[in-house]
Amino acid sequence: MGMAVFTDHFIEAFGLSRTELSIAYLLGTLGSSFFLTSAGRFYDESGARVSMVASSIALGLFVGYIACIDHVARYLSHTTEISPAAVTFPLILLGYFGVRFAGQGVLTNSSRNVLLVWFEKRRGLVVGARSVFITLGFSLAPPFLALLISHFGWRGALFVLAVIVGVVFSLTALVFIRDTPESCGLLPDGKVPGNGDERPAITGQTLAQARKSPVFWIYALALTFYSMFGTAFIFHIVAIFAEAGRSPAEAFAYFFPLALVSVSANLGSSWLSDRTRLKNLLVVKLMAFILGAWGLLHLQQQSGYWTMVAGFGVCGGIWAAISNLAYIRFFGRQHLGQISGLSMSLIVFGSAVGPALFSVGYDEFGTFHTTVWLSLAVLVALLIAAVIIPQDEPVPPVQGPPGGLP
């Protein structure tokens, strides 16, 4: 959301074409996905506070770095006699790598995981409340950034963001974040040891154990496929609507009813997650996904449009709940950073390759429908797997000491 607002300004300032900038974003995103599992290990070893402070500082530095790329490119071009565009491409690729790795990767994963360990009984409800703020953040980010650009210019807006993220937020995290309730002499859900509540050992399966589990892979693949398909659909939304005989205005108007359905589904599924098995939510998510893809194939009809809105909206809402809850529910707290980091790597990888796969399908067959039909086949296979794979909650405990800073 943030980088998209600056796209046209980057094209003009950096001397790159839209395709070149898009390829740089693709490669930077792909590159970042390969390091997120290692970042999860850093989270497990250092704790949420260190991880969030370090990643927010890194994000601020990379945002500030992007603001200076055109100046750096001109200097390097002058000293090496290489064309500015040839120098700028690897520089912006590095910038995209940094913001995707530090921001969407490490900072997102750390803020998600630290919230989960403080709650047990109402963990789903807390996740739902958190998701409302995330949805508002995504909705308000473009106009807020556009306002910054109008007042400070694109370079000044990036410097303002760098200060907000790298200085203000890192200090906020340092002061207020605590890794675990145990590090503060508490227990999850605000319980106090000695009042009839025992201090349980922090337990959980290792990353190696999780990778051997079919439960991990059915959730990871379901989450990744939604990221891949959803990113591709948004990336090509104007062209997809045009193929169905609908205007760009209708394409952009689609996001409002989608958000209403998605937020409602997220709150409902998050509330239900405290009362039912996640397997039930996963099955409903995949069924809604199939319904939305079927509606997409009939987008030229009004019934197809609303079927797509309902299906993708419900799927997206449940996706948000499952992506937060699945790994702590099945694999415990002790190695949550590494396990969720591997999942985040796959999700980011999917978001990077999805638009390209849709483009290839369109170039080869002259329609997006072929890729959607193939996606439906994958979704049916995932649904069958989700139904037949046993999903026992919770996992057997593995003893281990609590970690993180006090």
Side-chain angles (χ1 to χ4, degrees), residues 294-374:
W294 182 261
L296 175 56
L297 292 171
H298 301 83
L299 183 56
Q300 69 277 9
Q301 303 170 10
Q302 198 66 8
S303 59
Y305 172 84
W306 288 110
T307 299
M308 183 181 73
V309 169
F312 287 163
V314 171
C315 177
I318 299 178
W319 182 93
I322 289 178
S323 65
N324 281 278
L325 297 171
Y327 303 113
I328 194 169
R329 287 271 285 266
F330 287 106
F331 304 108
R333 289 174 48 184
Q334 189 173 8
H335 303 284
L336 180 61
Q338 297 177 62
I339 296 171
S340 61
L342 175 58
S343 176
M344 182 63 75
S345 296
L346 297 171
I347 290 172
V348 173
F349 183 88
S351 71
V353 301
L357 292 177
F358 266 56
S359 293
V360 170
Y362 185 81
D363 291 341
E364 290 294 324
F365 302 101
T367 177
F368 290 106
H369 283 196
T370 303
T371 308
V372 177
W373 278 111
L374 291 174

Side-chain angles (χ1 to χ4, degrees), residues 3 62-63 65-66 69 90-100:
M3 290 294 101
F62 274 108
V63 171
Y65 158 79
I66 292 176
I69 280 180
L91 292 178
I92 186 60
L93 189 157
L94 176 62
Y96 281 146
F97 167 87
V99 296
R100 292 288 281 187

Side-chain angles (χ1 to χ4, degrees), residues 253-275:
Y254 156 81
F255 290 102
F256 179 71
L258 178 75
L260 293 179
V261 176
S262 181
V263 170
S264 301
N266 179 254
L267 289 173
S269 59
S270 297
W271 180 81
L272 282 173
S273 68
D274 291 327
R275 295 162 174 80

